[in-house]
Amino acid sequence: MLAAPINPSDINMIQGNYGLLPKLPAVGGNEGVGQVVAVGSSVTGVKPGDWVIPANAGLGTWRTEAVFSEEVLVGVPKDIPLPSAATLSVNPCTAYRMLVDFEQLQPGDCVIQNASNSGVGQAVIQIAAALGLRTINVVRDRPDIQKLTERLKNLGADHVITEEEIRKHEMKNFLKDVPQPRLALNCVGGKSSTELLRHLAPGGTMVTYGGMAKQPVIASVGLLIFKDLKLRGFWLSQWKKDHSPDQFKELILTLCNLIRRGQLTAPACSQVPLQDYQRALEASTQPFVSSKQILTM
């Protein structure tokens, strides 16, 4: 293994409240990049020196070495930055599929999301910009909100607003100049998701892929009846079960092309040696952390 990030879903898996739980004892980590050092005599898909990432969750990437069968790995090009390769198989894949699979969006259309500073949020901003889509990005208020707003706008965000601002009456005037979003991406739940629904265009879709507030999604009956909004869910592991390994490889190559063109960068990250994993785990669970912890081997 070369590098592996700490994602919220990794923490959920350790806590035992995730949709996929490995047999114990288990190694943590669902994402990362490794370099092949040796292969068995009948292996044809990879060779020593190749970079590989896990094809599925549950492999356990927080380790220095591993022996895997070639079916559970996907090769990635070595001409992309190491942090991009290490953070490729979960968040950017989730962002891309949600932008493409639920609404037939055209260039100029608008997407609204919460948790916009998360790994998925940052990938949504960049992939949407590459597809010609506009984004309204909701974040929690914080002391350095100006700095965060600038950073997200540098990634391609059209609008960055706080959870408090989106609830204000003036928001209606602000959003007059923006096409009503047909797609909302929800990683929070609770009041935050209710606000996303309020701003969706009639017939629009809200896709939920996380629940960081640990509160249910509350949709008013009026919004469902009079605006005919659709509530959907997305889980990358389920998408992989419903699609072939070749379709996942095609998705990875699409994202690698965006990385090469400078249209998709890794989230802001802090590289931490594997032996300091406790420090990295603690840092990853702090509120308002704008930097993803990446364990380096």
Side-chain angles (χ1 to χ4, degrees):
M1 290 301 300
L2 299 174
I6 299 174
N7 289 316
S9 55
D10 301 327
I11 306 292
N12 295 149
M13 200 179 258
I14 292 166
Q15 291 165 334
N17 55 16
Y18 195 63
L20 184 154
L21 298 175
K23 287 188 182 125
L24 299 175
V27 176
N30 292 296
E31 186 180 37
V33 61
Q35 186 161 29
V36 178
V37 290
V39 297
S41 55
S42 53
V43 170
T44 55
V46 292
K47 61 187 186 304
D50 285 359
W51 277 12
V52 288
I53 60 173
N56 295 298
L59 280 195
T61 55
W62 300 345
R63 55 168 121 197
T64 53
E65 281 108 2
V67 179
F68 292 127
S69 67
E70 64 177 317
E71 297 81 62
V72 302
L73 302 171
V74 174
V76 292
K78 291 168 80 170
D79 62 350
I80 62 172
L82 186 69
S84 293
T87 57
L88 182 61
S89 65
V90 175
N91 294 330
C93 291
T94 297
Y96 187 89
R97 296 272 45 115
M98 291 194 301
L99 286 170
V100 169
D101 291 351
F102 292 91
E103 288 283 339
Q104 301 299 306
L105 300 175
Q106 303 299 324
D109 284 348
C110 195
V111 177
I112 188 168
Q113 66 166 344
N114 56 24
S116 306
N117 187 37
S118 65
V120 171
Q122 291 179 52
V124 163
I125 289 168
Q126 295 175 83
I127 295 166
L131 297 172
L133 305 172
R134 295 158 76 172
T135 54
I136 301 168
N137 301 280
V138 184
V139 295
R140 289 177 296 174
D141 201 2
R142 62 195 70 204
D144 63 344
I145 187 68
Q146 204 48 50
K147 213 160 100 182
L148 175 61
T149 299
E150 277 169 34
R151 197 160 60 76
L152 296 182
K153 286 196 167 178
N154 286 340
L155 290 178
D158 293 279
H159 305 283
V160 181
I161 51 180
T162 66
E163 295 278 4
E164 291 72 25
E165 286 168 338
I166 199 171
R167 293 190 186 116
K168 287 182 180 164
H169 190 67
E170 301 90 82
M171 214 51 224
K172 274 191 172 163
N173 297 330
F174 167 73
L175 291 174
K176 264 184 195 157
D177 309 326
V178 184
Q180 255 193 308
R182 286 177 37 218
L183 179 67
L185 306 177
N186 166 46
C187 184
V188 180
K191 286 180 184 168
S192 177
S193 54
T194 306
E195 288 302 326
L196 295 189
L197 284 171
R198 278 186 46 228
H199 293 290
L200 264 184
T205 302
M206 182 172 82
V207 183
T208 293
Y209 67 98
M212 291 164 91
K214 295 186 168 59
Q215 291 166 354
V217 169
I218 299 168
S220 82
V221 172
L223 284 176
L224 292 176
I225 295 172
F226 303 121
K227 282 178 80 175
D228 187 24
L229 301 180
K230 299 183 284 290
L231 301 182
R232 300 286 305 274
F234 182 81
W235 185 33
L236 185 63
S237 293
Q238 189 60 49
W239 184 90
K240 287 180 187 172
K241 281 180 196 163
D242 297 340
H243 294 78
S244 69
D246 282 346
Q247 284 170 302
F248 179 59
K249 286 175 188 170
E250 194 182 324
L251 171 58
I252 291 295
L253 289 178
T254 300
L255 294 169
C256 286
N257 285 335
L258 290 176
I259 292 167
R260 283 198 196 96
R261 292 203 292 264
Q263 293 176 306
L264 179 62
T265 58
C269 55
S270 306
Q271 298 193 19
V272 181
L274 181 62
Q275 61 266 32
D276 294 338
Y277 68 91
Q278 278 177 303
R279 177 163 63 88
L281 280 167
E282 268 169 39
S284 72
T285 53
Q286 297 304 311
F288 305 129
V289 173
S290 292
S291 187
K292 185 167 283 294
Q293 304 295 305
I294 296 189
L295 300 169
T296 54
M297 293 62 170

